[in-house]
Amino acid sequence: MAAAISIQGLTKKYVGLQRDEVVAVNNLNLDVQEGEIFGFLGRNGAGKTTTIKMLLGLVFPTAGDATLLGKPMGDSSVKQELAYLPEETYFYDSMSGWDILDFYGRLFKIPEPERSRRVKICLEKVRLQPEAWKRNIRGYSKGMRQRVGIAQALINDPKLLFLDEPTSGLDPIAHSELREIVASLKDEGKTVFLSSHQLADVELICSRVAIIHRGKLLTTGTIKDLTAGGRIEIVAEGTQLVNGTLAKLQAIIPDTHEEANHIVRLITEDNNRISAAIDAIRAASGNIISIVPIKKSLEDVFVETVRKEEGL
Amino acid sequence: MIALAIAQQTVREALRRRVMWIFLICGLFLISLGPVFGFLSPRDSQTVLRSLGLAAILLAGLFITIVTCIYLIPVEIERRTIYTVLSKPVQRYQFVLGKFLGGFATVFVNIALMGIVFLFMIWIQEHKVPTEMFQGVIMTFFQMMLLAALTIFFSTFATPVVNFFLSFGIFLVGNLSTVTESLTTNRNGVVRIVGNVVHYLLPNFGNFNIQNSIIHPTTEIANQNVYVAQNVIYAVVYSAVLLILAILIFDRREV
Ligand SMILES: Nc1ncnc2c1ncn2[C@@H]1O[C@H](COP(=O)(O)OP(=O)(O)OP(=O)(O)O)[C@@H](O)[C@H]1O
Ligand SMILES: [Mg+2]
């Protein structure tokens, strides 16, 4: 598959008020394939928004280059195929949700009656209640605004979407609805570049992620690869296990704990110790209840990766 | 097309600003005071109505133009609505042009409204609308167009507060064209150079004030129509230059 986004050595230095330099994005190299939902992760201030703004030509890179849908960044013809949801959605508050979408539709030169049709489709898709369509946006709740924000991103039926925190600050129902909408974009063959702190969402809907820290790419890969590896958990049961053998087991696998009802739980990352532990359990006439690999959550991966980089 | 969509949206936002309506109402109020003052001094009632009316349009127009145009671009950046607009297939020049056209249309509506009321007052009193009165309104309108372009030019790099003082200051200095002209022949070299720069580089707002010749028919300008046409062309050309500069600056601006 072709690359929807290809970033080479993208760098952005901001000069602060005290003439101090902030390297917001530092020599970033990244490829996003067509048709994937790509999670772009990083702590506050990691440089996610800055990266997106550079790709969209809102700020200019200090160094580096990128292509979007095969065209050089900044090529205005490619904007026809793009969509952007800024991290906090702001609108002209004299307008209704309908008017705002109509306005953005005009910026794409979508003629009537096609434009009204698109506006309707988009508002329906984000499930904004129809009573609110023609109401002034000042009276919208945060969730309703966010829906309009996503709707405006869909007005041109884009190929590539940049969504910066699309699900922050929403109630659980709205949250899962909007997450499903984003997930459904993949089925329509669209590419989504998703910046988010909601790692559970990312784990659910993204195929690949990148983690950046202080502007630098720390890791990138499929969620499957990143969360794999992990640890093995052994659960065993037996009276003798708890009494005499516990210390012995702990010598083999340090993370060994006694639980209620003569149950012992052992967790290790070292596959070589598993056989020894099993032998020891058997020798003490213990029953093995389960041996399961524990998958890491994306959050574990994120915390681990970032902590390691920070040297904590 | 795109610039027009942005212009329309701009007018819509601008018309919502209460401060603009306050200045418009003040302007209309002053214009309507004309007959009252005229009544107090029947001998000069015509002069009073004419000068008060044109001055009211100028003053209200000045404030409406500045408070409208000063915020057009900064507010988009501050409210970040510009992110979504510029990520659509909108070129930056279309954005600046749209903002200018929107500001310009707003100013036009206001001046037209005050102008109509003013000319109507004149018609009531004089039973005719003299061409010079009509020209007076037109000149004020083009003067405001130039001011709008100037304010939008500054708004691409200056904060609204700085912009307010810059635009207002240049409008005042530009209105003192007789003073700045006298500086160009000053004996002091430095003064002469500064005078030349100020007189020829800054927009000459003073030339648009034909009130004096209208109100005092003795100081007649040789050919009123040519004079008006010259100044209209001056305003259009100068505004175009300012807009081109505004676009060049805005093209390099990070938002
Ligand atoms: N206009 C600017 N001028 C100076 N520094 C800036 C500017 N914009 C961003 N920065 C700095 O660049 C760094 C990256 O900011 P950015 O907004 O890209 O982070 P982010 O990853 O989007 O964070 P968040 O998750 O909080 O949205 C931060 O240190 C920020 O302070
Ligand atoms: Mg951000």
Side-chain angles (χ1 to χ4, degrees):
Chain A
M1 254 194 284
I5 305 174
S6 173
I7 301 173
Q8 294 105 25
L10 208 56
T11 300
K12 178 68 189 178
K13 292 181 183 152
Y14 285 114
V15 179
L17 285 178
Q18 279 88 41
R19 305 237 146 254
D20 48 337
E21 220 172 55
V22 182
V23 186
V25 177
N26 193 349
N27 193 20
L28 182 69
N29 294 289
L30 201 60
D31 276 311
V32 175
Q33 301 307 312
E34 254 172 42
E36 70 177 339
I37 301 188
F38 190 90
F40 195 45
L41 316 179
R43 298 191 61 179
N44 292 124
K48 303 180 295 296
T49 302
T50 304
T51 304
I52 295 176
K53 282 165 83 176
M54 279 192 281
L55 294 176
L56 291 166
L58 297 172
V59 301
F60 310 118
T62 314
D65 221 329
T67 59
L68 302 178
L69 302 171
K71 296 196 179 120
M73 169 178 68
D75 186 325
S76 57
S77 68
V78 79
K79 283 187 179 172
Q80 206 71 37
E81 315 280 359
L82 299 186
Y84 176 37
L85 173 69
E87 58 189 324
E88 280 163 84
T89 29
Y90 295 86
F91 297 111
Y92 303 103
D93 54 6
S94 63
M95 298 169 105
S96 66
W98 181 283
D99 291 342
I100 284 168
L101 261 67
D102 183 71
F103 171 60
Y104 288 131
R106 289 181 66 189
L107 297 184
F108 281 102
K109 297 191 185 162
I110 305 172
E112 285 288 21
E114 167 70 6
R115 193 163 72 233
S116 294
R117 201 180 66 84
R118 288 258 2 128
V119 171
K120 187 158 176 283
I121 290 174
C122 293
L123 289 175
E124 273 166 359
K125 176 150 184 133
V126 297
R127 301 196 214 158
L128 184 72
Q129 56 270 47
E131 309 86 83
W133 288 8
K134 304 264 167 127
R135 224 168 61 205
N136 198 303
I137 201 156
R138 243 172 310 160
Y140 282 23
S141 71
K142 186 167 167 63
M144 291 161 80
R145 282 166 173 265
Q146 198 69 5
R147 284 169 203 265
V148 175
I150 293 180
Q152 65 80 26
L154 297 173
I155 193 78
N156 57 324
D157 196 13
K159 282 208 183 101
L160 171 59
L161 295 94
F162 293 90
L163 306 181
D164 203 346
E165 289 288 338
T167 53
S168 65
L170 301 175
D171 74 60
I173 308 284
H175 186 131
S176 75
E177 273 182 21
L178 290 193
R179 187 185 58 218
E180 288 320 309
I181 290 165
V182 174
S184 75
L185 298 173
K186 187 184 162 77
D187 307 329
E188 297 171 20
K190 302 184 190 308
T191 310
V192 180
F193 192 75
L194 174 72
S195 153
S196 182
H197 295 298
Q198 316 286 328
L199 297 181
D201 289 355
V202 171
E203 198 165 352
L204 272 174
I205 64 178
C206 292
S207 41
R208 289 200 309 140
V209 298
I211 300 177
I212 65 165
H213 187 64
R214 300 204 184 108
K216 278 203 300 215
L217 181 68
L218 294 188
T219 184
T220 176
T222 63
I223 295 205
K224 200 159 150 253
D225 289 346
L226 290 175
T227 55
R231 300 160 296 173
I232 306 281
E233 181 196 62
I234 305 168
V235 180
E237 178 251 331
T239 8
Q240 285 185 43
L241 286 184
V242 197
N243 299 332
T245 330
L246 196 63
K248 213 170 136 196
L249 288 174
Q250 277 166 341
I252 303 168
I253 294 179
D255 190 2
T256 296
H257 297 283
E258 176 193 349
E259 294 184 357
N261 302 326
H262 313 297
I263 285 180
V264 176
R265 189 182 298 271
L266 307 88
I267 297 173
T268 181
E269 289 177 16
D270 189 351
N271 289 350
N272 300 325
R273 292 170 186 246
I274 294 170
S275 303
I278 291 172
D279 290 344
I281 292 167
R282 286 229 177 105
S285 330
N287 294 322
I288 291 174
I289 297 172
S290 67
I291 303 177
V292 278
I294 308 176
K295 225 178 84 181
K296 283 188 279 190
S297 70
L298 186 57
E299 185 176 306
D300 296 333
V301 175
F302 181 88
V303 171
E304 230 169 67
T305 314
V306 170
R307 285 254 165 91
K308 205 169 102 198
E309 177 68 18
E310 285 180 338
L312 291 173
Chain B
M1 233 294 263
I2 287 176
L4 282 184
I6 292 172
Q8 200 184 330
Q9 146 65 23
T10 304
V11 172
R12 190 179 179 142
E13 289 276 305
L15 292 185
R16 278 185 59 244
R17 300 202 48 223
R18 225 168 272 137
V19 57
M20 187 208 80
W21 291 102
I22 292 172
F23 287 124
L24 178 63
I25 290 166
C26 288
L28 290 172
F29 179 69
L30 276 177
I31 294 167
S32 63
L33 278 185
V36 179
F37 283 112
F39 181 72
L40 294 179
S41 56
R43 256 189 310 155
D44 298 324
S45 64
Q46 184 179 337
T47 314
V48 168
L49 180 62
R50 288 179 169 198
S51 56
L52 188 68
L54 283 176
I57 296 176
L58 177 67
L59 210 61
L62 168 67
F63 281 104
I64 288 170
T65 305
I66 289 189
V67 298
T68 301
C69 295
I70 226 168
Y71 289 111
L72 292 181
I73 291 176
V75 118
E76 293 262 349
I77 294 173
E78 191 193 316
R79 281 201 269 152
R80 307 192 207 176
T81 42
I82 197 166
Y83 291 173
T84 33
V85 174
L86 288 187
S87 62
K88 308 270 186 270
V90 174
Q91 304 276 352
R92 286 181 177 221
Y93 80 85
Q94 292 170 317
F95 183 78
V96 175
L97 203 62
K99 286 286 145 191
F100 170 73
L101 290 176
F104 177 64
T106 309
V107 170
F108 174 79
V109 169
N110 280 283
I111 302 232
L113 211 67
M114 290 188 288
I116 288 168
V117 171
F118 169 62
L119 296 177
F120 182 67
M121 294 277 182
I122 300 245
W123 181 76
I124 289 181
Q125 198 170 41
E126 304 179 21
H127 304 294
K128 63 175 175 20
V129 178
T131 322
E132 318 91 77
M133 287 300 105
F134 187 68
Q135 285 173 336
V137 176
I138 296 284
M139 287 291 259
T140 309
F141 170 66
F142 278 95
Q143 190 179 19
M144 291 306 127
M145 177 180 109
L146 183 50
L147 181 63
L150 183 74
T151 309
I152 285 180
F153 164 69
F154 284 133
S155 79
T156 56
F157 58 88
T159 64
V161 177
V162 172
N163 190 349
F164 180 83
F165 288 109
L166 276 174
S167 299
F168 212 77
I170 290 181
F171 183 78
L172 289 182
V173 174
N175 257 298
L176 303 172
S177 40
T178 44
V179 177
T180 53
E181 188 167 22
S182 71
L183 291 181
T184 61
T185 52
N186 195 289
R187 261 187 295 163
N188 184 324
V190 178
V191 175
R192 204 165 57 236
I193 291 168
V194 173
N196 267 300
V197 169
V198 169
H199 186 67
Y200 293 107
L201 203 61
L202 295 190
N204 192 330
F205 285 106
N207 284 351
F208 291 86
N209 301 328
I210 52 172
Q211 286 96 316
N212 294 339
S213 65
I214 294 172
I215 296 155
H216 310 292
T218 41
T219 57
E220 191 70 54
I221 289 169
N223 187 333
Q224 186 81 20
N225 291 335
V226 170
Y227 183 78
V228 169
Q230 275 172 349
N231 279 288
V232 167
I233 292 169
Y234 176 83
V236 171
V237 171
Y238 206 120
S239 300
V241 170
L242 284 172
L243 282 182
I244 290 168
L245 291 176
I247 288 165
L248 289 177
I249 294 170
F250 191 67
D251 245 346
R252 284 158 186 74
R253 168 137 190 206
E254 305 204 316
V255 294

